Amino acid sequence: MKPASDRMQHRRRSLSSQSLANEVYLKVEEVAARYGVSIDTIYRWKRNGDFPKARKVGPGVTRWRLSDLIEHEANMQACFATHLNIPRSE
């Protein structure tokens, strides 16, 4: 029988593999399309810390978890303009 620490490490790896399989990951192009912005904007938001972190899912492969984006959206504050004063050109 394997030592308890080996069994726990194997179980952790299995759980993380299962959660990886159940999670939806988006490419930067898909994230940009979701928000209606450019790819550069997504990277700028990420760099500024205003956006969820991307996850490394393989060598040279970075993706955003959909669940992270949904959570971020739930915490975003919206701003609505109730009055807009636009000078009239005469």
Side-chain angles (χ1 to χ4, degrees), residues 8-42:
M8 287 302 291
Q9 284 181 351
H10 175 72
R11 184 166 185 233
R12 278 189 210 120
R13 271 184 262 141
S14 296
L15 288 175
S16 87
S17 296
Q18 287 172 355
S19 64
L20 187 66
N22 293 332
E23 193 66 60
V24 175
Y25 287 83
L26 302 177
K27 295 187 231 177
V28 67
E29 295 86 0
E30 296 168 317
V31 175
R34 180 179 180 89
Y35 292 99
V37 298
S38 70
I39 292 170
D40 289 339
T41 297
I42 297 298

Side-chain angles (χ1 to χ4, degrees), residues 68-86:
D68 290 343
L69 297 177
I70 291 170
E71 182 180 342
H72 174 72
E73 291 164 7
N75 294 322
M76 289 175 68
Q77 294 183 0
C79 177
F80 297 96
T82 57
H83 294 83
L84 188 59
N85 292 327
I86 301 175

Side-chain angles (χ1 to χ4, degrees), residues 29-71:
E29 295 86 0
E30 296 168 317
V31 175
R34 180 179 180 89
Y35 292 99
V37 298
S38 70
I39 292 170
D40 289 339
T41 297
I42 297 298
Y43 285 122
R44 183 174 54 254
W45 289 349
K46 179 185 163 204
R47 213 175 28 252
N48 292 341
D50 300 330
F51 203 65
K53 292 184 179 182
R55 309 288 176 143
K56 281 233 172 253
V57 295
V61 180
T62 303
R63 299 287 186 266
W64 277 264
R65 288 191 323 189
L66 180 58
S67 61
D68 290 343
L69 297 177
I70 291 170
E71 182 180 342

